Amino acid sequence: MASGFVGEGLRSLPHSRTSASGPRNRYAVAMEEPEMQLKGKKVTDKFTESVYVLANEPSVALYRLQEHVRRSLPELAQHKADMQRWEEQSQGAIYTVEYACSAVKSLVDSSVYFRSVEGLLKQAISIRDHMNAAAQGHSPEEPPLPSSA
């Protein structure tokens, strides 16, 4: 082993066999048996199938994804258009309701003015009645003073 070649020391190891035809590898002898060849073929077939499936799995997944998108995209686009139309209609209805609420609030706030107009109308009616009574010859009574309602 002092010769310097790495492979020289391997010739004397026990894994080499010698037969009538010369040295043979035990794996080569084992592969000649039909049962072992069948098992080897099954293993290589399964390995090849596994490699094929693993190599094609991403492309199959992407194909299925593309197929799903192609089928569902028109329906999703229609739903989006419907939702946008409903949103526009809702915004219009919200604007109408807010406008009506502000109008009602304005009416409530104007009740002060309505009360003032009511007081002025009562005062005008009282003055008219007083004027009619004076025109018919009755004794005129003092008309009520205007109130600040």
Side-chain angles (χ1 to χ4, degrees):
M1 283 193 124
S3 66
F5 291 106
V6 176
E8 254 181 71
L10 296 176
R11 288 187 196 145
S12 62
L13 291 176
H15 71 276
S16 299
R17 282 195 173 165
T18 308
S19 67
S21 63
R24 299 185 77 186
N25 188 340
R26 68 180 150 151
Y27 298 112
V29 172
M31 289 305 287
E32 290 176 4
E33 298 173 14
E35 182 181 338
M36 290 304 288
Q37 285 180 351
L38 182 63
K39 287 181 181 179
K41 183 171 176 16
K42 284 182 181 179
V43 168
T44 56
D45 287 348
K46 288 289 184 185
F47 180 73
T48 303
E49 182 181 344
S50 296
V51 168
Y52 179 76
V53 167
L54 287 174
N56 288 314
E57 184 62 28
S59 62
V60 169
L62 291 175
Y63 172 76
R64 295 285 187 223
L65 185 62
Q66 180 236 356
E67 189 177 59
H68 171 71
V69 167
R70 185 172 38 86
R71 265 189 279 126
S72 62
L73 189 62
E75 185 178 345
L76 289 173
Q78 183 61 42
H79 283 302
K80 180 183 176 185
D82 291 344
M83 293 299 288
Q84 287 173 337
R85 190 176 63 250
W86 292 337
E87 180 184 17
E88 290 171 4
Q89 291 173 352
S90 298
Q91 290 299 326
I94 288 170
Y95 176 77
T96 303
V97 168
E98 286 176 348
Y99 185 74
C101 287
S102 70
V104 168
K105 186 175 184 298
S106 296
L107 284 174
V108 169
D109 292 342
S110 65
S111 66
V112 173
Y113 302 111
F114 284 124
R115 276 190 234 114
S116 175
V117 168
E118 180 185 21
L120 291 172
L121 284 173
K122 285 181 182 178
Q123 200 174 26
I125 291 171
S126 167
I127 292 172
R128 184 199 65 187
D129 289 344
H130 180 69
M131 289 173 69
N132 285 342
Q136 289 177 0
H138 293 121
S139 67
E141 295 180 15
E142 287 290 322
L145 295 175
S147 67
S148 58

Coordinates of all heavy atoms in Angstrom, one line a residue, residues 52-145:
Y52 N -41.1 11.6 -12.9 CA -42.0 12.2 -13.9 C -43.1 13.0 -13.3 O -43.4 14.1 -13.7 CB -42.6 11.0 -14.8 CG -43.5 11.5 -15.8 CD1 -43.1 12.2 -17.0 CD2 -44.9 11.4 -15.7 CE1 -43.9 12.6 -18.0 CE2 -45.8 11.9 -16.6 CZ -45.3 12.5 -17.8 OH -46.2 12.9 -18.7
V53 N -43.8 12.4 -12.2 CA -44.8 13.1 -11.5 C -44.3 14.3 -10.9 O -44.9 15.4 -11.0 CB -45.5 12.1 -10.5 CG1 -46.4 12.9 -9.6 CG2 -46.3 11.1 -11.2
L54 N -43.2 14.2 -10.2 CA -42.6 15.4 -9.5 C -42.2 16.5 -10.5 O -42.4 17.7 -10.2 CB -41.4 15.0 -8.7 CG -41.7 14.2 -7.4 CD1 -40.5 13.8 -6.7 CD2 -42.6 15.1 -6.4
A55 N -41.7 16.1 -11.7 CA -41.3 17.1 -12.7 C -42.5 17.8 -13.3 O -42.4 18.9 -13.6 CB -40.5 16.4 -13.7
N56 N -43.6 17.1 -13.4 CA -44.8 17.6 -14.1 C -45.8 18.2 -13.1 O -46.7 18.9 -13.5 CB -45.5 16.6 -14.9 CG -44.7 16.3 -16.2 OD1 -44.2 17.2 -16.8 ND2 -44.5 15.0 -16.4
E57 N -45.6 18.0 -11.8 CA -46.6 18.5 -10.8 C -46.8 20.0 -10.9 O -48.0 20.4 -10.9 CB -46.2 18.0 -9.4 CG -47.2 18.4 -8.4 CD -48.6 17.7 -8.5 OE1 -48.6 16.6 -9.1 OE2 -49.6 18.3 -8.1
P58 N -45.8 20.8 -10.9 CA -46.1 22.3 -11.0 C -46.8 22.7 -12.3 O -47.7 23.5 -12.2 CB -44.7 22.9 -11.0 CG -43.8 21.9 -10.4 CD -44.4 20.5 -10.8
S59 N -46.5 22.1 -13.4 CA -47.2 22.4 -14.6 C -48.7 22.0 -14.6 O -49.5 22.7 -15.1 CB -46.5 21.9 -15.8 OG -46.5 20.5 -15.8
V60 N -48.9 20.8 -14.0 CA -50.3 20.3 -13.9 C -51.1 21.3 -12.9 O -52.2 21.7 -13.2 CB -50.3 18.9 -13.3 CG1 -51.7 18.5 -13.0 CG2 -49.8 17.9 -14.4
A61 N -50.4 21.7 -11.8 CA -51.1 22.6 -10.9 C -51.4 23.9 -11.6 O -52.5 24.5 -11.5 CB -50.2 22.8 -9.7
L62 N -50.5 24.4 -12.4 CA -50.7 25.7 -13.1 C -51.8 25.6 -14.1 O -52.6 26.5 -14.3 CB -49.4 26.2 -13.7 CG -48.4 26.7 -12.7 CD1 -47.1 27.1 -13.4 CD2 -48.9 27.9 -11.9
Y63 N -51.8 24.4 -14.8 CA -52.8 24.2 -15.8 C -54.2 24.2 -15.1 O -55.2 24.8 -15.6 CB -52.6 22.8 -16.5 CG -53.7 22.4 -17.4 CD1 -53.9 23.1 -18.7 CD2 -54.6 21.5 -17.0 CE1 -55.0 22.7 -19.5 CE2 -55.7 21.1 -17.9 CZ -55.9 21.8 -19.1 OH -56.9 21.4 -19.9
R64 N -54.3 23.5 -14.0 CA -55.6 23.4 -13.3 C -56.0 24.8 -12.8 O -57.2 25.2 -12.9 CB -55.5 22.5 -12.1 CG -55.3 21.1 -12.4 CD -56.5 20.4 -13.0 NE -56.3 19.0 -13.2 CZ -56.7 18.3 -14.2 NH1 -57.3 18.9 -15.2 NH2 -56.4 17.0 -14.4
L65 N -55.1 25.6 -12.3 CA -55.3 27.0 -11.9 C -55.8 27.8 -13.1 O -56.8 28.5 -12.9 CB -54.1 27.6 -11.3 CG -54.2 28.9 -10.7 CD1 -55.2 28.9 -9.5 CD2 -52.9 29.4 -10.2
Q66 N -55.1 27.7 -14.2 CA -55.6 28.5 -15.4 C -56.9 28.0 -15.8 O -57.8 28.9 -16.2 CB -54.5 28.3 -16.5 CG -54.9 29.0 -17.8 CD -55.0 28.1 -19.0 OE1 -54.7 26.9 -18.9 NE2 -55.3 28.6 -20.1
E67 N -57.2 26.7 -15.8 CA -58.5 26.2 -16.2 C -59.6 26.8 -15.3 O -60.7 27.2 -15.7 CB -58.5 24.7 -16.1 CG -59.7 24.0 -16.7 CD -59.4 22.5 -16.6 OE1 -59.3 22.0 -15.5 OE2 -59.5 21.8 -17.6
H68 N -59.3 26.8 -14.0 CA -60.3 27.3 -13.0 C -60.6 28.8 -13.2 O -61.7 29.3 -13.2 CB -59.8 27.1 -11.6 CG -60.6 27.8 -10.5 ND1 -61.9 27.4 -10.2 CD2 -60.4 28.9 -9.8 CE1 -62.4 28.2 -9.3 NE2 -61.5 29.1 -9.0
V69 N -59.5 29.6 -13.5 CA -59.6 31.0 -13.7 C -60.4 31.3 -15.0 O -61.3 32.1 -15.0 CB -58.2 31.7 -13.7 CG1 -58.3 33.1 -14.3 CG2 -57.6 31.7 -12.4
R70 N -60.1 30.5 -16.0 CA -60.8 30.7 -17.3 C -62.3 30.4 -17.1 O -63.2 31.1 -17.7 CB -60.2 29.8 -18.3 CG -60.8 30.0 -19.7 CD -60.1 29.2 -20.8 NE -59.6 27.9 -20.4 CZ -60.4 26.8 -20.5 NH1 -61.6 26.8 -20.9 NH2 -59.9 25.6 -20.1
R71 N -62.7 29.4 -16.3 CA -64.1 29.1 -16.1 C -64.8 30.1 -15.2 O -65.9 30.5 -15.4 CB -64.2 27.7 -15.5 CG -64.4 26.7 -16.5 CD -64.8 25.3 -15.9 NE -63.6 24.7 -15.5 CZ -63.4 24.2 -14.2 NH1 -64.3 24.3 -13.3 NH2 -62.2 23.7 -13.9
S72 N -64.1 30.6 -14.2 CA -64.8 31.4 -13.2 C -64.7 32.9 -13.4 O -65.4 33.7 -12.8 CB -64.3 31.1 -11.8 OG -62.9 31.3 -11.7
L73 N -63.8 33.3 -14.3 CA -63.5 34.8 -14.5 C -64.7 35.5 -15.0 O -65.1 36.6 -14.5 CB -62.3 35.0 -15.4 CG -61.8 36.4 -15.5 CD1 -61.4 36.9 -14.1 CD2 -60.7 36.5 -16.5
P74 N -65.4 35.0 -16.0 CA -66.6 35.8 -16.5 C -67.7 36.0 -15.5 O -68.2 37.1 -15.3 CB -67.2 34.9 -17.7 CG -66.0 34.1 -18.1 CD -65.2 33.8 -16.9
E75 N -67.9 35.0 -14.6 CA -68.9 35.1 -13.6 C -68.4 36.1 -12.5 O -69.2 37.0 -12.1 CB -69.1 33.8 -12.9 CG -70.2 33.8 -11.8 CD -70.5 32.4 -11.2 OE1 -70.0 31.4 -11.8 OE2 -71.1 32.4 -10.2
L76 N -67.1 36.1 -12.2 CA -66.6 37.1 -11.2 C -66.7 38.5 -11.8 O -67.0 39.4 -11.1 CB -65.2 36.7 -10.9 CG -65.0 35.5 -10.0 CD1 -63.5 35.1 -9.9 CD2 -65.6 35.7 -8.6
A77 N -66.4 38.6 -13.1 CA -66.5 40.0 -13.7 C -67.9 40.5 -13.7 O -68.1 41.7 -13.4 CB -66.0 39.9 -15.1
Q78 N -68.9 39.6 -13.9 CA -70.3 40.0 -13.8 C -70.7 40.4 -12.4 O -71.4 41.4 -12.2 CB -71.2 38.9 -14.3 CG -72.6 39.2 -14.4 CD -72.9 40.4 -15.3 OE1 -72.4 40.4 -16.4 NE2 -73.8 41.3 -14.9
H79 N -70.2 39.6 -11.4 CA -70.5 40.0 -10.0 C -69.9 41.4 -9.7 O -70.5 42.2 -9.0 CB -69.9 39.0 -9.1 CG -70.8 37.7 -9.0 ND1 -72.1 37.7 -8.6 CD2 -70.5 36.4 -9.2 CE1 -72.6 36.5 -8.6 NE2 -71.6 35.7 -9.0
K80 N -68.7 41.6 -10.2 CA -68.0 42.9 -9.9 C -68.8 44.1 -10.5 O -69.1 45.1 -9.9 CB -66.6 42.9 -10.5 CG -65.9 44.2 -10.3 CD -64.5 44.2 -10.9 CE -63.8 45.6 -10.7 NZ -62.6 45.7 -11.4
A81 N -69.3 43.9 -11.8 CA -70.1 44.9 -12.4 C -71.4 45.1 -11.7 O -71.8 46.3 -11.5 CB -70.4 44.5 -13.9
D82 N -72.0 44.0 -11.2 CA -73.3 44.2 -10.5 C -73.0 44.9 -9.2 O -73.8 45.8 -8.8 CB -73.9 42.8 -10.1 CG -74.4 42.1 -11.3 OD1 -74.6 42.7 -12.4 OD2 -74.6 40.8 -11.3
M83 N -72.0 44.6 -8.5 CA -71.6 45.3 -7.2 C -71.4 46.7 -7.4 O -71.8 47.6 -6.6 CB -70.4 44.6 -6.6 CG -70.7 43.2 -6.1 SD -72.0 43.1 -4.8 CE -71.1 43.8 -3.4
Q84 N -70.7 47.1 -8.5 CA -70.4 48.5 -8.8 C -71.7 49.3 -9.1 O -71.9 50.4 -8.6 CB -69.5 48.6 -10.0 CG -68.1 48.3 -9.6 CD -67.1 48.3 -10.8 OE1 -67.6 48.1 -12.0 NE2 -65.8 48.4 -10.6
R85 N -72.6 48.6 -9.8 CA -73.9 49.2 -10.1 C -74.7 49.4 -8.8 O -75.3 50.5 -8.6 CB -74.7 48.4 -11.1 CG -76.0 49.1 -11.7 CD -76.7 48.3 -12.7 NE -77.2 47.0 -12.2 CZ -76.7 45.8 -12.5 NH1 -75.7 45.7 -13.4 NH2 -77.2 44.7 -12.0
W86 N -74.7 48.4 -8.0 CA -75.5 48.5 -6.7 C -74.9 49.6 -5.8 O -75.6 50.3 -5.1 CB -75.5 47.2 -6.0 CG -76.3 46.1 -6.7 CD1 -77.3 46.3 -7.6 CD2 -76.2 44.7 -6.6 NE1 -77.8 45.1 -8.0 CE2 -77.1 44.1 -7.4 CE3 -75.3 43.9 -5.9 CZ2 -77.3 42.7 -7.5 CZ3 -75.4 42.5 -6.0 CH2 -76.4 41.9 -6.8
E87 N -73.5 49.7 -5.9 CA -72.9 50.7 -5.1 C -73.3 52.1 -5.5 O -73.6 53.0 -4.7 CB -71.4 50.6 -5.1 CG -70.6 51.6 -4.3 CD -69.1 51.6 -4.5 OE1 -68.7 50.9 -5.4 OE2 -68.5 52.2 -3.7
E88 N -73.4 52.3 -6.8 CA -73.8 53.6 -7.4 C -75.3 53.9 -7.0 O -75.6 55.0 -6.6 CB -73.7 53.6 -8.9 CG -72.3 53.6 -9.4 CD -72.2 53.4 -10.9 OE1 -73.2 53.4 -11.6 OE2 -71.0 53.3 -11.4
Q89 N -76.1 52.9 -7.1 CA -77.5 53.1 -6.7 C -77.6 53.4 -5.2 O -78.4 54.2 -4.8 CB -78.3 51.8 -7.0 CG -78.5 51.6 -8.5 CD -79.2 50.3 -8.8 OE1 -79.4 49.4 -8.0 NE2 -79.6 50.1 -10.1
S90 N -76.8 52.7 -4.4 CA -76.8 52.9 -2.9 C -76.4 54.3 -2.6 O -76.9 55.0 -1.7 CB -75.9 51.9 -2.2 OG -76.4 50.6 -2.4
Q91 N -75.3 54.8 -3.3 CA -74.8 56.1 -3.1 C -75.9 57.2 -3.4 O -76.1 58.1 -2.7 CB -73.5 56.4 -3.9 CG -72.3 55.6 -3.4 CD -71.9 56.0 -2.0 OE1 -72.1 57.1 -1.6 NE2 -71.4 54.9 -1.3
G92 N -76.6 56.9 -4.5 CA -77.7 57.8 -4.9 C -78.8 57.8 -3.8 O -79.3 58.9 -3.4
A93 N -79.2 56.7 -3.3 CA -80.2 56.6 -2.3 C -79.7 57.2 -1.0 O -80.5 57.9 -0.3 CB -80.6 55.1 -2.0
I94 N -78.5 57.0 -0.6 CA -77.9 57.6 0.6 C -78.0 59.2 0.5 O -78.3 59.9 1.4 CB -76.5 57.1 0.8 CG1 -76.5 55.7 1.3 CG2 -75.8 58.0 1.9 CD1 -75.2 55.0 1.4
Y95 N -77.6 59.7 -0.7 CA -77.7 61.1 -0.9 C -79.1 61.6 -0.8 O -79.3 62.7 -0.1 CB -77.1 61.5 -2.3 CG -77.2 62.9 -2.6 CD1 -76.3 63.9 -2.1 CD2 -78.2 63.4 -3.5 CE1 -76.4 65.2 -2.4 CE2 -78.4 64.7 -3.8 CZ -77.5 65.6 -3.2 OH -77.6 67.0 -3.5
T96 N -80.0 60.9 -1.3 CA -81.5 61.3 -1.3 C -81.9 61.4 0.2 O -82.6 62.3 0.6 CB -82.3 60.4 -2.1 OG1 -81.9 60.4 -3.4 CG2 -83.8 60.8 -2.1
V97 N -81.6 60.3 0.9 CA -82.0 60.2 2.4 C -81.3 61.4 3.2 O -82.0 62.0 4.0 CB -81.7 58.9 2.9 CG1 -81.8 58.8 4.5 CG2 -82.6 57.8 2.3
E98 N -80.1 61.6 2.9 CA -79.4 62.7 3.7 C -80.0 64.0 3.3 O -80.2 64.9 4.2 CB -77.9 62.7 3.3 CG -77.1 61.5 4.0 CD -75.7 61.5 3.6 OE1 -75.3 62.2 2.7 OE2 -74.9 60.7 4.3
Y99 N -80.4 64.2 2.1 CA -81.0 65.5 1.7 C -82.3 65.7 2.3 O -82.7 66.7 2.8 CB -81.1 65.5 0.1 CG -81.7 66.8 -0.4 CD1 -80.9 68.0 -0.4 CD2 -83.0 66.9 -0.8 CE1 -81.3 69.2 -0.9 CE2 -83.5 68.1 -1.3 CZ -82.6 69.3 -1.3 OH -83.1 70.4 -1.8
A100 N -83.1 64.6 2.4 CA -84.4 64.6 3.0 C -84.3 64.9 4.5 O -85.0 65.7 5.1 CB -85.2 63.3 2.8
C101 N -83.3 64.3 5.2 CA -83.1 64.5 6.6 C -82.7 65.9 6.9 O -83.2 66.5 7.9 CB -82.0 63.6 7.1 SG -82.5 61.8 7.3
S102 N -81.9 66.5 6.0 CA -81.5 67.9 6.2 C -82.7 68.8 6.0 O -82.8 69.8 6.7 CB -80.3 68.3 5.3 OG -80.8 68.4 4.0
A103 N -83.6 68.5 5.1 CA -84.8 69.3 4.9 C -85.7 69.2 6.1 O -86.3 70.2 6.6 CB -85.6 68.8 3.6
V104 N -85.9 68.0 6.7 CA -86.7 67.8 7.9 C -86.1 68.6 9.0 O -86.8 69.3 9.8 CB -86.9 66.3 8.2 CG1 -87.5 66.2 9.6 CG2 -87.8 65.7 7.2
K105 N -84.8 68.5 9.2 CA -84.1 69.3 10.3 C -84.3 70.8 10.1 O -84.5 71.5 11.0 CB -82.6 68.9 10.2 CG -81.8 69.5 11.4 CD -80.4 69.1 11.4 CE -79.6 69.6 12.6 NZ -79.5 71.0 12.7
S106 N -84.2 71.2 8.8 CA -84.5 72.7 8.6 C -85.9 73.0 9.0 O -86.1 74.1 9.5 CB -84.3 73.0 7.1 OG -82.9 72.8 6.7
L107 N -86.9 72.1 8.7 CA -88.2 72.4 9.1 C -88.4 72.5 10.6 O -89.1 73.3 11.2 CB -89.2 71.4 8.6 CG -89.5 71.5 7.1 CD1 -90.4 70.3 6.6 CD2 -90.3 72.8 6.8
V108 N -87.7 71.6 11.3 CA -87.8 71.6 12.8 C -87.1 72.8 13.3 O -87.6 73.5 14.2 CB -87.0 70.3 13.4 CG1 -86.8 70.4 14.8 CG2 -87.8 69.1 13.0
D109 N -86.0 73.2 12.7 CA -85.3 74.5 13.1 C -86.2 75.7 12.8 O -86.1 76.7 13.5 CB -84.0 74.6 12.5 CG -83.0 73.6 13.0 OD1 -83.2 73.0 14.0 OD2 -82.0 73.3 12.3
S110 N -87.0 75.6 11.8 CA -87.9 76.8 11.5 C -89.1 76.9 12.3 O -90.0 77.8 12.0 CB -88.2 76.8 10.0 OG -89.0 75.6 9.7
S111 N -89.3 76.0 13.2 CA -90.6 76.1 14.0 C -90.6 77.4 14.8 O -91.7 77.9 15.1 CB -90.6 74.9 15.0 OG -89.6 74.9 15.9
V112 N -89.5 78.0 15.2 CA -89.5 79.3 15.8 C -90.1 80.3 14.9 O -91.0 81.1 15.4 CB -88.0 79.7 16.2 CG1 -87.9 81.1 16.7 CG2 -87.4 78.7 17.1
Y113 N -89.8 80.2 13.7 CA -90.4 81.2 12.7 C -91.9 81.0 12.5 O -92.6 82.0 12.4 CB -89.6 81.2 11.4 CG -88.1 81.4 11.5 CD1 -87.2 80.4 11.3 CD2 -87.7 82.7 11.9 CE1 -85.9 80.6 11.4 CE2 -86.3 82.9 12.0 CZ -85.4 81.8 11.8 OH -84.1 82.1 12.0
F114 N -92.3 79.7 12.5 CA -93.7 79.4 12.3 C -94.5 79.9 13.6 O -95.6 80.5 13.4 CB -93.9 77.9 12.2 CG -93.6 77.4 10.8 CD1 -92.7 76.4 10.6 CD2 -94.2 77.9 9.7 CE1 -92.4 75.9 9.3 CE2 -93.9 77.5 8.4 CZ -93.0 76.4 8.2
R115 N -93.9 79.8 14.8 CA -94.6 80.3 16.0 C -94.7 81.8 15.9 O -95.7 82.4 16.3 CB -93.8 79.9 17.2 CG -94.2 78.5 17.6 CD -93.7 78.1 19.0 NE -92.9 76.9 18.9 CZ -91.6 76.7 19.0 NH1 -90.9 77.7 19.3 NH2 -91.1 75.6 18.8
S116 N -93.7 82.5 15.4 CA -93.7 83.9 15.2 C -94.8 84.3 14.2 O -95.5 85.3 14.5 CB -92.3 84.4 14.8 OG -92.4 85.8 14.5
V117 N -94.8 83.6 13.1 CA -95.9 83.9 12.1 C -97.2 83.7 12.7 O -98.2 84.5 12.5 CB -95.6 83.1 10.8 CG1 -96.8 83.2 9.9 CG2 -94.4 83.5 10.1
E118 N -97.4 82.6 13.5 CA -98.7 82.3 14.1 C -99.1 83.5 15.0 O -100.3 83.9 15.0 CB -98.6 81.0 14.9 CG -99.9 80.6 15.6 CD -99.7 79.4 16.4 OE1 -98.6 79.0 16.8 OE2 -100.7 78.7 16.7
G119 N -98.2 84.0 15.8 CA -98.5 85.1 16.7 C -98.9 86.3 15.9 O -99.8 87.0 16.3
L120 N -98.2 86.6 14.9 CA -98.5 87.8 14.0 C -99.9 87.6 13.4 O -100.6 88.6 13.3 CB -97.4 88.0 13.0 CG -96.0 88.4 13.5 CD1 -95.0 88.4 12.4 CD2 -96.2 89.8 14.2
L121 N -100.2 86.4 13.0 CA -101.5 86.2 12.4 C -102.6 86.4 13.4 O -103.7 87.0 13.1 CB -101.6 84.7 11.8 CG -100.9 84.5 10.4 CD1 -101.0 83.0 10.1 CD2 -101.6 85.3 9.4
K122 N -102.4 85.9 14.6 CA -103.4 86.1 15.7 C -103.6 87.6 16.0 O -104.7 88.1 16.2 CB -103.0 85.3 17.0 CG -103.2 83.9 16.9 CD -102.7 83.2 18.2 CE -102.9 81.7 18.1 NZ -102.4 81.0 19.3
Q123 N -102.5 88.3 16.0 CA -102.5 89.7 16.2 C -103.3 90.4 15.1 O -104.1 91.3 15.3 CB -101.1 90.2 16.3 CG -101.0 91.6 17.0 CD -99.5 91.9 17.2 OE1 -98.7 91.5 16.5 NE2 -99.3 92.7 18.2
A124 N -103.0 90.0 13.8 CA -103.7 90.6 12.7 C -105.2 90.4 12.7 O -106.0 91.2 12.4 CB -103.1 90.1 11.4
I125 N -105.6 89.1 13.1 CA -107.0 88.8 13.3 C -107.6 89.7 14.3 O -108.8 90.2 14.2 CB -107.2 87.3 13.5 CG1 -106.8 86.5 12.3 CG2 -108.6 87.0 14.0 CD1 -106.7 85.0 12.6
S126 N -106.9 89.8 15.4 CA -107.5 90.7 16.5 C -107.6 92.1 16.1 O -108.7 92.8 16.4 CB -106.5 90.6 17.7 OG -106.8 91.6 18.7
I127 N -106.7 92.6 15.3 CA -106.8 94.0 14.8 C -107.9 94.1 13.9 O -108.7 95.1 13.9 CB -105.5 94.5 14.2 CG1 -104.4 94.6 15.3 CG2 -105.6 95.8 13.4 CD1 -103.0 94.9 14.7
R128 N -108.1 93.1 13.0 CA -109.2 93.1 12.0 C -110.6 93.1 12.8 O -111.5 93.9 12.4 CB -109.1 91.9 11.1 CG -110.2 91.9 10.0 CD -110.4 90.6 9.4 NE -110.9 89.7 10.5 CZ -111.1 88.4 10.3 NH1 -110.7 87.8 9.2 NH2 -111.5 87.7 11.3
D129 N -110.7 92.3 13.8 CA -111.9 92.2 14.5 C -112.2 93.6 15.2 O -113.3 94.0 15.2 CB -111.9 91.1 15.6 CG -111.9 89.7 15.0 OD1 -112.3 89.6 13.8 OD2 -111.6 88.7 15.7
H130 N -111.2 94.2 15.7 CA -111.3 95.5 16.4 C -111.7 96.6 15.3 O -112.6 97.4 15.6 CB -110.0 95.9 17.0 CG -110.0 97.2 17.7 ND1 -110.7 97.4 18.9 CD2 -109.5 98.4 17.4 CE1 -110.6 98.6 19.2 NE2 -109.8 99.3 18.4
M131 N -111.2 96.5 14.2 CA -111.5 97.5 13.1 C -112.9 97.3 12.7 O -113.7 98.2 12.4 CB -110.5 97.4 11.9 CG -109.2 97.9 12.3 SD -108.0 97.7 11.0 CE -108.5 98.8 9.8
N132 N -113.4 96.0 12.5 CA -114.7 95.7 12.1 C -115.7 96.2 13.2 O -116.8 96.7 12.9 CB -114.9 94.2 11.9 CG -114.3 93.7 10.6 OD1 -114.1 94.6 9.7 ND2 -114.1 92.4 10.4
A133 N -115.4 96.0 14.4 CA -116.3 96.5 15.5 C -116.3 98.0 15.5 O -117.4 98.6 15.8 CB -115.8 95.9 16.8
A134 N -115.3 98.7 15.2 CA -115.3 100.1 15.2 C -116.1 100.6 14.0 O -116.8 101.7 14.1 CB -113.8 100.7 15.1
A135 N -116.0 99.9 12.9 CA -116.7 100.4 11.7 C -118.2 100.2 11.9 O -119.0 100.9 11.4 CB -116.3 99.6 10.5
Q136 N -118.7 99.3 12.7 CA -120.1 99.0 13.0 C -120.6 99.9 14.1 O -121.8 99.8 14.4 CB -120.3 97.5 13.3 CG -120.1 96.6 12.1 CD -120.3 95.1 12.5 OE1 -120.5 94.8 13.7 NE2 -120.1 94.3 11.6
G137 N -119.8 100.7 14.7 CA -120.3 101.6 15.7 C -120.2 101.2 17.1 O -120.6 101.8 18.0
H138 N -119.6 100.1 17.4 CA -119.4 99.7 18.8 C -118.2 100.5 19.3 O -117.4 101.1 18.6 CB -119.1 98.2 18.8 CG -120.2 97.4 18.4 ND1 -120.2 96.5 17.4 CD2 -121.5 97.3 18.9 CE1 -121.3 95.8 17.3 NE2 -122.1 96.3 18.2
S139 N -118.2 100.4 20.6 CA -117.1 101.1 21.3 C -115.8 100.4 21.1 O -115.7 99.2 21.3 CB -117.3 101.3 22.8 OG -117.3 100.0 23.4
P140 N -114.8 101.1 20.6 CA -113.6 100.5 20.3 C -112.8 100.1 21.6 O -112.7 100.9 22.5 CB -112.8 101.5 19.5 CG -113.4 102.8 19.8 CD -114.8 102.5 20.2
E141 N -112.3 98.9 21.6 CA -111.5 98.5 22.7 C -110.0 98.6 22.3 O -109.7 98.6 21.1 CB -111.8 97.1 23.1 CG -113.2 96.9 23.6 CD -113.5 95.4 24.0 OE1 -112.5 94.7 24.1 OE2 -114.6 95.1 24.1
E142 N -109.2 98.7 23.2 CA -107.8 98.8 22.9 C -107.3 97.4 22.2 O -107.6 96.4 22.8 CB -107.0 99.0 24.2 CG -107.1 100.4 24.7 CD -106.4 101.4 23.9 OE1 -105.3 101.1 23.3 OE2 -107.0 102.5 23.7
P143 N -106.7 97.6 21.1 CA -106.2 96.3 20.5 C -105.0 95.8 21.3 O -104.3 96.7 21.9 CB -105.8 96.7 19.1 CG -105.6 98.2 19.1 CD -106.4 98.7 20.3
P144 N -104.8 94.6 21.3 CA -103.7 94.1 22.1 C -102.4 94.5 21.5 O -102.3 94.7 20.2 CB -103.8 92.5 22.0 CG -104.8 92.3 20.9 CD -105.6 93.5 20.7
L145 N -101.4 94.7 22.3 CA -100.1 95.1 21.8 C -99.4 93.9 21.1 O -99.6 92.8 21.5 CB -99.2 95.6 23.0 CG -99.7 96.9 23.7 CD1 -98.8 97.1 24.9 CD2 -99.7 98.0 22.7

